[in-house]
Amino acid sequence: MDMDIINIAGLAEEKKNLGNDEYKSKHYESALRFYSEAITLSPQTAAYYGNRSACYMMLGDYRSALNDVKTAITIDDKYEKGYIRMAKCSLALGDVIGTDQAIRKFLNLDPSNTALREEISNLKVLREQNEKATACYDKKDYRTCLYHCDSALKIAPGSVPCKLLKAECLALLERFEEACDIAITIMQANSTNADAIYVRGLTLYYSDNLEKGLLHFERALMMDPDHKKAKLMRQKAKQLKEKKESGNELFKTGKYRDALTVYSDALTLDAQNKDINSKLYYNRALVNMKLGNLREAINDCSSALVLNEKYLKALMQRAKLHYTMENFEESVKDYEAAVKLNRTAELKNLLKDAKLQLKKSKRKDYYKILGVPKMASEDEIKKAYRKRALVHHPDRHANATAEEKREQERKFKELGEAYTVLSDPVKKSRYDSGHDLEDFGHSADIDPHHIYRQFMPSDFGFGFPGGNCSNGSNFTFHFG
């Protein structure tokens, strides 16, 4: 029987030695197996647990390493290496209290030993970084909080609380993919971790997935009924969901003023949720458009685009609103931006039309110059020219100042241009289609006096007893 015990002890030692060889070769998985076999053969040997603990540490499994070293110390409370590893594991896990306790116990055994000098220094730095991270989080300075979390994780790479605080900051800084990766990794290791479930909920909530976000907040509260952050976010998510759905229903049923109130209320719930708020602004823009509040509708589209510059619906709606209000330059800019996002034939045609309207808006408005509507007949155009030509003919202003004479000459010339184009069906059609005056195949320097002379003097109610119509020096006007 004693011989059997000796053989088992010898075999266990042999397994430990094989494990040591693999450890030295950095084959940690293989070393782990040999150490485990040694422990199975001799479960009351503290050193075997200590060796396997070191192996777990090299694999980054600090929790298993800490469990092994605690077992080793239970077996031998004078096991110095055990306290060293306990301090290192506790520090790696971000357990400030556990690290401090391990250091104190080690120094009680050997006060002059400096093996944990680095850990003592790092423990102080970790405390400082944790305190700074918490202070920055409380001030909502998430970017600086993230910096302190990263600094802390260099000392405590296995700290789950620190990782989750980092993930929460990432989510609040809209770096959802990174936040999600951290949360899911922790959930895979511990599916009941309420903080990890909460952070995963944040990434969903802020990515316009209210339903799933809400479910995660509720699940976090199942794991921890007193989770304050999950309670707050569940309330916000529920309110946003209800307000958005209510506003949509009111809009569908034509209750636009009520919908306007509901969407406005929803926008006050969580300024941090940019994705949802951009959609709420867009929905409110549609309501304002229905109510005829076009400027407010444009402002809402702009607010939506500030939150999401690639929001195609808001961009197209604002382009249409600018077009309706004849802000063609702004309309063109929006359609150009929309085409960059989605090069559809429809958008290209809308852009082309907006550009045409912009070009037309920058030309002289011949209809306005003659004072006639766009559907005016040839006779109406002729009568309008006669009436205005009488008013602005330079001979009518022979006694005016030089400046006034130049102004009347300019208006008289514009009347000639307008009449030349609008009295010719072909030119009028091309003008209405957006062509410039220079496109009509004749000089823009139209002689207004030549056009004027085409009308018989009797048409104007005065005669020309002598002299030239173009200079007006011998004109006699007969106004009735």
Side-chain angles (χ1 to χ4, degrees):
M1 184 69 176
D2 290 341
M3 187 61 66
D4 289 340
I5 293 173
I6 292 170
N7 288 340
I8 290 172
L11 185 58
E13 192 66 14
E14 185 180 331
K15 293 291 184 181
K16 182 211 65 172
N17 291 334
L18 288 171
N20 289 347
D21 292 339
E22 291 297 299
Y23 185 91
K24 289 174 186 176
S25 300
K26 299 183 179 180
H27 300 151
Y28 302 117
E29 292 284 359
S30 180
L32 198 66
R33 287 197 301 274
F34 285 120
Y35 290 142
S36 295
E37 289 174 10
I39 287 169
T40 301
L41 292 166
S42 183
Q44 291 302 310
T45 304
Y48 297 167
Y49 289 100
N51 288 359
R52 191 170 72 173
S53 172
C55 209
Y56 274 128
M57 287 178 70
M58 298 308 295
L59 291 168
D61 187 352
Y62 302 107
R63 184 61 60 189
S64 295
L66 184 61
N67 289 336
D68 267 358
V69 82
K70 283 181 176 178
T71 302
I73 290 170
T74 301
I75 294 169
D76 179 4
D77 62 1
K78 300 290 191 295
Y79 182 44
E80 288 189 8
K81 281 186 179 179
Y83 291 110
I84 290 173
R85 292 199 179 109
M86 179 180 282
K88 289 179 181 290
C89 288
S90 297
L91 187 64
L93 289 167
D95 182 357
V96 172
I97 295 173
T99 306
D100 186 62
Q101 289 175 345
I103 291 171
R104 290 178 185 277
K105 287 177 180 178
F106 173 73
L107 292 175
N108 284 337
L109 290 175
D110 191 354
S112 62
N113 197 320
T114 60
L116 288 176
R117 182 173 52 192
E118 185 178 352
E119 281 67 32
I120 292 170
S121 175
N122 283 340
L123 178 60
K124 181 182 177 182
V125 175
L126 180 60
R127 278 197 177 104
E128 290 173 353
Q129 293 302 322
N130 285 343
E131 288 170 4
K132 288 177 180 178
T134 301
C136 289
Y137 179 87
D138 291 341
K139 291 188 293 186
K140 297 186 178 181
D141 182 2
Y142 304 122
R143 201 170 300 281
T144 308
C145 181
L146 188 62
Y147 168 79
H148 291 303
C149 285
D150 283 333
S151 297
L153 286 167
K154 287 176 183 177
I155 297 170
S159 174
V160 171
C162 194
K163 286 179 181 179
L164 286 171
L165 181 57
K166 175 182 177 177
E168 186 176 352
C169 288
L170 287 169
L172 294 169
L173 290 169
E174 300 174 46
R175 292 164 63 177
F176 303 124
E177 190 172 341
E178 296 169 77
C180 184
D181 287 344
I182 294 171
I184 287 176
T185 299
I186 293 171
M187 287 168 67
Q188 287 171 341
N190 180 6
S191 62
T192 63
N193 188 308
D195 288 330
I197 297 167
Y198 161 75
V199 171
R200 175 62 179 135
L202 278 185
T203 64
L204 292 164
Y205 168 78
Y206 285 122
S207 302
D208 190 26
N209 201 329
L210 276 177
E211 295 279 358
K212 287 188 177 180
L214 183 57
L215 286 173
H216 277 72
F217 298 142
E218 289 175 342
R219 185 180 161 198
L221 287 167
M222 287 175 65
M223 299 298 113
D224 178 6
D226 296 322
H227 200 292
K228 292 181 180 178
K229 293 178 183 177
K231 278 184 182 178
L232 177 63
M233 293 311 299
R234 178 182 64 177
Q235 183 181 8
K236 283 186 179 181
K238 284 179 72 174
Q239 287 178 329
L240 264 178
K241 181 175 179 290
E242 289 167 2
K243 291 283 185 183
K244 186 182 177 187
E245 290 176 354
S246 174
N248 292 350
E249 186 60 31
L250 288 166
F251 179 82
K252 288 176 185 175
T253 55
K255 298 175 182 177
Y256 302 125
R257 295 199 179 280
D258 290 337
L260 188 68
T261 300
V262 171
Y263 285 139
S264 298
D265 289 344
L267 283 164
T268 66
L269 294 174
D270 188 1
Q272 185 76 25
N273 199 325
K274 295 181 179 180
D275 205 276
I276 287 291
N277 287 340
S278 66
K279 291 176 172 58
L280 289 170
Y281 274 120
Y282 172 73
N283 289 354
R284 195 172 73 174
L286 297 180
V287 173
N288 271 317
M289 189 180 68
K290 290 288 187 181
L291 292 170
N293 305 327
L294 301 190
R295 291 191 185 281
E296 288 83 351
I298 287 175
N299 290 338
D300 278 343
C301 287
S302 297
S303 295
L305 289 163
V306 166
L307 298 176
N308 180 3
E309 62 182 7
K310 295 183 179 179
Y311 195 175
L312 185 60
K313 283 184 178 180
L315 198 56
M316 288 177 64
Q317 190 60 52
R318 189 172 69 176
K320 291 176 185 176
L321 288 162
H322 278 310
Y323 186 99
T324 301
M325 297 184 72
E326 298 187 2
N327 302 328
F328 298 119
E329 197 160 344
E330 296 302 318
S331 182
V332 167
K333 286 180 185 177
D334 281 346
Y335 278 128
E336 285 176 337
V339 167
K340 286 181 182 178
L341 294 174
N342 192 8
R343 300 182 64 83
T344 63
E346 178 191 2
L347 276 174
K348 288 178 182 178
N349 287 333
L350 289 168
L351 173 59
K352 182 180 179 182
D353 180 47
K355 283 182 174 180
L356 175 61
Q357 296 305 321
L358 174 60
K359 181 180 178 182
K360 288 168 72 173
S361 71
K362 290 183 175 181
R363 303 173 310 165
K364 291 179 181 178
D365 187 342
Y366 290 146
Y367 290 104
K368 186 176 180 180
I369 289 169
L370 285 179
V372 295
K374 290 185 178 181
M375 301 305 293
S377 65
E378 186 177 344
D379 190 50
E380 287 172 327
I381 290 169
K382 196 170 187 179
K383 286 180 179 179
Y385 173 74
R386 287 173 179 166
K387 181 179 178 181
R388 296 209 171 196
L390 278 173
V391 175
H392 298 294
H393 192 285
D395 293 331
R396 183 90 182 270
H397 304 277
N399 297 323
T401 63
E403 185 178 351
E404 179 62 21
K405 284 180 180 179
R406 284 193 296 272
E407 177 63 15
Q408 294 301 327
E409 181 71 39
R410 183 188 66 78
K411 290 182 177 179
F412 186 62
K413 183 177 179 180
E414 281 186 341
L415 283 168
E417 290 178 7
Y419 179 75
T420 299
V421 173
L422 300 185
S423 63
D424 184 319
V426 175
K427 292 177 182 177
K428 181 177 182 296
S429 175
R430 295 183 68 192
Y431 173 79
D432 290 342
S433 298
H435 291 279
D436 289 325
L437 182 64
E438 289 79 2
D439 299 333
F440 295 138
H442 65 277
S443 173
D445 296 325
I446 295 170
D447 181 0
H449 296 286
H450 175 72
I451 299 166
Y452 188 78
R453 287 195 295 269
Q454 291 177 9
F455 292 89
M456 294 300 293
S458 59
D459 288 338
F460 294 94
F462 57 84
F464 301 91
N468 194 312
C469 174
S470 62
N471 60 36
S473 60
N474 294 313
F475 274 45
T476 302
F477 288 87
H478 300 281
F479 294 100

Coordinates of all heavy atoms in Angstrom, one line a residue, residues 42-99:
S42 N -2.2 13.8 -7.2 CA -1.8 14.2 -5.9 C -2.5 15.5 -5.6 O -1.9 16.6 -5.7 CB -0.3 14.4 -5.8 OG 0.1 14.8 -4.5
P43 N -3.8 15.5 -5.3 CA -4.6 16.7 -5.1 C -4.3 17.5 -3.9 O -4.8 18.6 -3.7 CB -6.1 16.1 -4.9 CG -5.9 14.7 -4.5 CD -4.6 14.2 -5.1
Q44 N -3.4 17.1 -3.0 CA -3.0 17.8 -1.8 C -1.6 18.5 -1.9 O -1.1 18.9 -0.9 CB -3.1 16.9 -0.5 CG -4.5 16.5 -0.2 CD -5.5 17.7 0.1 OE1 -5.1 18.6 0.8 NE2 -6.6 17.7 -0.6
T45 N -1.1 18.5 -3.1 CA 0.2 19.2 -3.3 C 0.0 20.6 -3.8 O -0.4 20.8 -4.9 CB 1.1 18.4 -4.3 OG1 1.1 17.0 -3.8 CG2 2.4 19.0 -4.4
A46 N 0.3 21.6 -2.9 CA 0.0 23.0 -3.2 C 0.8 23.4 -4.5 O 0.3 24.2 -5.3 CB 0.4 23.8 -2.0
A47 N 2.1 23.0 -4.6 CA 2.9 23.4 -5.7 C 2.3 23.1 -7.1 O 2.4 23.9 -8.0 CB 4.3 22.8 -5.6
Y48 N 1.6 22.0 -7.2 CA 1.0 21.6 -8.5 C -0.1 22.7 -8.9 O -0.2 23.1 -10.0 CB 0.4 20.2 -8.4 CG 1.4 19.1 -8.2 CD1 0.9 17.8 -7.8 CD2 2.7 19.4 -8.3 CE1 1.8 16.8 -7.6 CE2 3.7 18.3 -8.1 CZ 3.2 17.1 -7.7 OH 4.1 16.1 -7.5
Y49 N -0.9 23.1 -7.9 CA -1.9 24.1 -8.2 C -1.2 25.4 -8.5 O -1.7 26.2 -9.4 CB -2.8 24.3 -6.9 CG -3.7 23.2 -6.7 CD1 -3.4 22.2 -5.7 CD2 -4.9 23.0 -7.4 CE1 -4.3 21.1 -5.5 CE2 -5.8 22.0 -7.1 CZ -5.5 21.0 -6.2 OH -6.3 20.0 -5.9
G50 N -0.1 25.7 -7.8 CA 0.6 26.9 -8.1 C 1.2 26.9 -9.5 O 1.1 28.0 -10.2
N51 N 1.7 25.8 -10.0 CA 2.2 25.7 -11.3 C 1.1 25.8 -12.4 O 1.2 26.5 -13.4 CB 2.9 24.3 -11.6 CG 4.2 24.2 -10.8 OD1 4.6 25.2 -10.2 ND2 4.9 23.1 -10.9
R52 N 0.0 25.2 -12.1 CA -1.2 25.3 -13.1 C -1.7 26.7 -13.1 O -2.1 27.3 -14.1 CB -2.3 24.3 -12.7 CG -3.3 24.2 -13.8 CD -4.3 23.1 -13.6 NE -5.2 23.3 -12.5 CZ -6.2 22.5 -12.2 NH1 -6.4 21.4 -12.9 NH2 -7.0 22.8 -11.2
S53 N -1.7 27.4 -11.9 CA -2.1 28.8 -11.8 C -1.2 29.7 -12.7 O -1.7 30.5 -13.5 CB -2.0 29.3 -10.4 OG -2.2 30.7 -10.3
A54 N 0.1 29.4 -12.7 CA 1.0 30.2 -13.6 C 0.7 30.0 -15.0 O 0.8 30.9 -15.9 CB 2.5 29.8 -13.3
C55 N 0.3 28.7 -15.3 CA 0.0 28.4 -16.7 C -1.3 29.1 -17.2 O -1.4 29.7 -18.3 CB -0.2 26.9 -16.8 SG 0.2 26.2 -18.4
Y56 N -2.3 29.1 -16.3 CA -3.5 29.8 -16.6 C -3.3 31.3 -16.8 O -3.9 32.0 -17.7 CB -4.5 29.7 -15.5 CG -5.4 28.4 -15.5 CD1 -5.5 27.5 -14.5 CD2 -6.1 28.1 -16.7 CE1 -6.3 26.4 -14.5 CE2 -6.9 27.0 -16.7 CZ -7.0 26.1 -15.7 OH -7.8 25.0 -15.7
M57 N -2.4 31.9 -16.0 CA -2.0 33.3 -16.2 C -1.4 33.6 -17.6 O -1.8 34.6 -18.2 CB -1.0 33.7 -15.1 CG -1.7 33.8 -13.7 SD -0.4 34.3 -12.4 CE -0.1 36.0 -12.9
M58 N -0.6 32.7 -18.0 CA 0.0 32.9 -19.3 C -1.0 32.8 -20.5 O -0.9 33.4 -21.5 CB 1.1 31.9 -19.6 CG 2.3 32.0 -18.6 SD 3.0 33.7 -18.5 CE 3.7 33.9 -20.1
L59 N -2.1 32.1 -20.2 CA -3.2 31.9 -21.2 C -4.2 33.0 -21.0 O -5.2 33.1 -21.8 CB -3.8 30.5 -21.0 CG -3.0 29.3 -21.4 CD1 -3.6 28.0 -20.9 CD2 -2.8 29.3 -22.9
G60 N -4.0 33.9 -20.0 CA -5.0 35.0 -19.8 C -6.2 34.6 -19.1 O -7.1 35.5 -19.0
D61 N -6.2 33.4 -18.5 CA -7.4 33.0 -17.7 C -7.1 33.3 -16.3 O -6.8 32.4 -15.5 CB -7.7 31.5 -18.0 CG -9.0 31.0 -17.3 OD1 -9.6 31.8 -16.6 OD2 -9.4 29.9 -17.6
Y62 N -7.2 34.6 -15.9 CA -6.9 35.0 -14.5 C -7.8 34.4 -13.5 O -7.4 34.2 -12.3 CB -6.8 36.5 -14.5 CG -5.8 37.1 -15.5 CD1 -6.3 37.7 -16.6 CD2 -4.5 36.9 -15.3 CE1 -5.4 38.3 -17.5 CE2 -3.5 37.4 -16.2 CZ -4.0 38.1 -17.3 OH -3.1 38.6 -18.2
R63 N -9.1 34.2 -13.8 CA -10.0 33.7 -12.9 C -9.7 32.3 -12.4 O -9.7 32.0 -11.3 CB -11.5 33.8 -13.5 CG -12.6 33.4 -12.6 CD -12.7 34.3 -11.3 NE -12.9 35.7 -11.7 CZ -12.9 36.6 -10.8 NH1 -12.6 36.4 -9.5 NH2 -13.1 37.9 -11.2
S64 N -9.4 31.4 -13.4 CA -9.0 30.1 -13.1 C -7.7 30.0 -12.4 O -7.5 29.2 -11.4 CB -8.9 29.2 -14.4 OG -10.1 29.1 -15.0
A65 N -6.8 31.0 -12.7 CA -5.5 31.0 -12.1 C -5.7 31.4 -10.6 O -5.0 30.8 -9.7 CB -4.6 32.1 -12.7
L66 N -6.6 32.3 -10.3 CA -6.8 32.7 -8.9 C -7.5 31.6 -8.1 O -7.1 31.4 -7.0 CB -7.7 34.0 -8.9 CG -8.0 34.6 -7.6 CD1 -6.7 35.1 -6.9 CD2 -9.0 35.8 -7.7
N67 N -8.4 30.9 -8.8 CA -9.0 29.8 -8.1 C -8.0 28.7 -7.7 O -8.0 28.2 -6.5 CB -10.1 29.1 -9.0 CG -11.3 30.0 -9.1 OD1 -11.5 30.9 -8.3 ND2 -12.0 29.8 -10.2
D68 N -7.0 28.4 -8.6 CA -6.0 27.4 -8.3 C -5.1 27.9 -7.1 O -4.7 27.1 -6.2 CB -5.1 27.2 -9.5 CG -5.7 26.0 -10.3 OD1 -6.6 25.4 -9.9 OD2 -5.1 25.7 -11.4
V69 N -4.7 29.2 -7.2 CA -3.8 29.6 -6.2 C -4.4 29.7 -4.8 O -3.8 29.5 -3.7 CB -3.1 31.0 -6.6 CG1 -4.0 32.2 -6.3 CG2 -1.8 31.2 -5.9
K70 N -5.7 30.0 -4.8 CA -6.5 30.0 -3.5 C -6.5 28.6 -2.9 O -6.4 28.4 -1.7 CB -7.9 30.5 -3.7 CG -8.0 32.0 -3.9 CD -9.4 32.5 -4.1 CE -9.5 34.0 -4.1 NZ -10.9 34.4 -4.3
T71 N -6.6 27.6 -3.8 CA -6.6 26.2 -3.3 C -5.3 25.8 -2.8 O -5.1 25.2 -1.7 CB -7.0 25.2 -4.5 OG1 -8.2 25.6 -5.0 CG2 -7.0 23.8 -4.0
A72 N -4.2 26.3 -3.5 CA -2.8 26.0 -3.0 C -2.6 26.6 -1.6 O -2.0 26.0 -0.7 CB -1.8 26.6 -4.0
I73 N -3.1 27.8 -1.4 CA -2.9 28.5 -0.1 C -3.7 27.8 1.0 O -3.3 27.7 2.2 CB -3.2 30.0 -0.2 CG1 -2.1 30.7 -1.0 CG2 -3.3 30.6 1.2 CD1 -2.5 32.1 -1.4
T74 N -4.9 27.3 0.6 CA -5.7 26.6 1.6 C -4.9 25.3 2.1 O -5.0 24.9 3.2 CB -7.0 26.1 0.9 OG1 -7.7 27.3 0.5 CG2 -7.9 25.4 1.9
I75 N -4.3 24.7 1.1 CA -3.5 23.5 1.5 C -2.2 23.9 2.3 O -1.9 23.2 3.3 CB -3.0 22.7 0.2 CG1 -4.3 22.2 -0.6 CG2 -2.1 21.6 0.5 CD1 -4.0 21.7 -2.0
D76 N -1.6 25.0 1.9 CA -0.4 25.4 2.6 C -0.4 26.9 2.8 O -0.1 27.7 1.8 CB 0.9 25.0 1.8 CG 2.2 25.4 2.4 OD1 2.1 25.9 3.6 OD2 3.2 25.2 1.8
D77 N -0.8 27.4 3.9 CA -0.9 28.8 4.2 C 0.4 29.6 4.3 O 0.5 30.8 4.4 CB -1.8 29.1 5.4 CG -1.2 28.6 6.7 OD1 -0.1 28.0 6.6 OD2 -1.8 28.7 7.7
K78 N 1.5 28.8 4.2 CA 2.9 29.4 4.2 C 3.5 29.4 2.7 O 4.6 29.7 2.6 CB 3.8 28.7 5.1 CG 3.4 28.6 6.5 CD 3.5 30.0 7.2 CE 3.3 29.9 8.7 NZ 1.9 29.5 9.1
Y79 N 2.6 29.1 1.8 CA 3.1 29.0 0.4 C 3.3 30.4 -0.2 O 2.4 31.0 -0.7 CB 2.1 28.2 -0.4 CG 2.4 27.9 -1.9 CD1 3.7 27.5 -2.2 CD2 1.5 28.0 -2.8 CE1 4.0 27.2 -3.6 CE2 1.8 27.7 -4.2 CZ 3.0 27.4 -4.5 OH 3.3 27.1 -5.8
E80 N 4.5 30.9 -0.2 CA 4.8 32.3 -0.6 C 4.5 32.5 -2.0 O 3.9 33.6 -2.4 CB 6.3 32.6 -0.3 CG 6.6 32.8 1.2 CD 8.0 33.3 1.4 OE1 8.7 33.7 0.4 OE2 8.4 33.3 2.6
K81 N 4.9 31.6 -2.9 CA 4.6 31.8 -4.3 C 3.1 31.9 -4.6 O 2.7 32.6 -5.5 CB 5.2 30.6 -5.1 CG 6.7 30.6 -5.4 CD 7.1 29.5 -6.3 CE 8.6 29.5 -6.6 NZ 9.0 28.4 -7.5
G82 N 2.3 31.3 -3.7 CA 0.9 31.3 -3.9 C 0.4 32.8 -3.6 O -0.5 33.3 -4.4
Y83 N 0.9 33.5 -2.6 CA 0.5 34.8 -2.4 C 1.0 35.8 -3.5 O 0.3 36.8 -3.8 CB 1.0 35.3 -1.0 CG 0.4 34.6 0.1 CD1 1.1 33.6 0.9 CD2 -1.0 34.8 0.4 CE1 0.4 33.0 2.0 CE2 -1.6 34.1 1.5 CZ -0.9 33.2 2.2 OH -1.5 32.5 3.2
I84 N 2.2 35.5 -4.0 CA 2.7 36.3 -5.1 C 1.7 36.2 -6.3 O 1.3 37.2 -6.9 CB 4.1 35.9 -5.5 CG1 5.1 36.2 -4.4 CG2 4.5 36.5 -6.8 CD1 6.5 35.7 -4.7
R85 N 1.4 35.0 -6.6 CA 0.5 34.8 -7.8 C -0.9 35.3 -7.5 O -1.6 35.8 -8.3 CB 0.4 33.3 -8.1 CG 1.7 32.8 -8.7 CD 1.6 31.5 -9.5 NE 2.9 31.2 -10.1 CZ 3.6 30.1 -9.6 NH1 3.2 29.3 -8.7 NH2 4.8 29.8 -10.2
M86 N -1.4 35.2 -6.2 CA -2.7 35.7 -5.8 C -2.7 37.2 -6.1 O -3.7 37.8 -6.6 CB -3.0 35.4 -4.4 CG -4.4 36.0 -3.9 SD -4.7 35.6 -2.2 CE -5.2 33.9 -2.3
A87 N -1.6 37.9 -5.7 CA -1.6 39.4 -5.9 C -1.6 39.7 -7.4 O -2.3 40.6 -7.8 CB -0.3 39.9 -5.2
K88 N -0.8 38.9 -8.2 CA -0.7 39.2 -9.6 C -2.1 38.9 -10.3 O -2.5 39.7 -11.1 CB 0.3 38.3 -10.2 CG 1.8 38.7 -9.9 CD 2.8 37.7 -10.5 CE 4.2 38.1 -10.2 NZ 4.6 39.3 -10.8
C89 N -2.7 37.8 -9.9 CA -4.0 37.5 -10.5 C -5.1 38.5 -10.1 O -5.9 39.0 -11.0 CB -4.5 36.1 -10.0 SG -3.6 34.8 -10.8
S90 N -5.1 38.9 -8.9 CA -6.1 39.9 -8.4 C -5.9 41.2 -9.1 O -6.9 41.9 -9.4 CB -6.0 40.0 -6.9 OG -6.3 38.8 -6.2
L91 N -4.6 41.6 -9.3 CA -4.4 42.8 -10.0 C -4.8 42.8 -11.4 O -5.4 43.7 -11.9 CB -2.9 43.1 -9.9 CG -2.4 44.5 -10.4 CD1 -3.0 45.6 -9.6 CD2 -0.9 44.6 -10.4
A92 N -4.5 41.6 -12.1 CA -4.9 41.5 -13.5 C -6.4 41.5 -13.6 O -7.0 42.0 -14.7 CB -4.4 40.2 -14.0
L93 N -7.1 41.1 -12.6 CA -8.6 41.1 -12.6 C -9.2 42.4 -12.2 O -10.4 42.6 -12.2 CB -9.1 39.9 -11.7 CG -8.9 38.5 -12.3 CD1 -9.2 37.5 -11.2 CD2 -9.8 38.3 -13.5
G94 N -8.3 43.3 -11.8 CA -8.8 44.6 -11.3 C -9.4 44.6 -9.9 O -10.0 45.6 -9.5
D95 N -9.1 43.6 -9.2 CA -9.6 43.5 -7.8 C -8.6 44.2 -6.9 O -7.6 43.6 -6.4 CB -9.7 42.0 -7.4 CG -10.3 41.8 -6.0 OD1 -10.5 42.8 -5.3 OD2 -10.5 40.6 -5.6
V96 N -8.9 45.4 -6.6 CA -8.0 46.3 -5.8 C -7.9 45.7 -4.4 O -6.8 45.6 -3.8 CB -8.5 47.7 -5.8 CG1 -7.7 48.6 -4.8 CG2 -8.4 48.3 -7.2
I97 N -9.0 45.4 -3.8 CA -9.0 44.9 -2.4 C -8.3 43.6 -2.3 O -7.5 43.4 -1.4 CB -10.5 44.8 -1.9 CG1 -11.1 46.2 -1.8 CG2 -10.5 44.1 -0.5 CD1 -12.6 46.2 -1.4
G98 N -8.6 42.7 -3.2 CA -7.9 41.3 -3.2 C -6.4 41.5 -3.4 O -5.7 40.7 -2.7
T99 N -6.0 42.4 -4.2 CA -4.6 42.5 -4.5 C -3.9 43.1 -3.2 O -2.8 42.6 -2.8 CB -4.3 43.6 -5.6 OG1 -5.0 43.2 -6.8 CG2 -2.8 43.7 -5.9

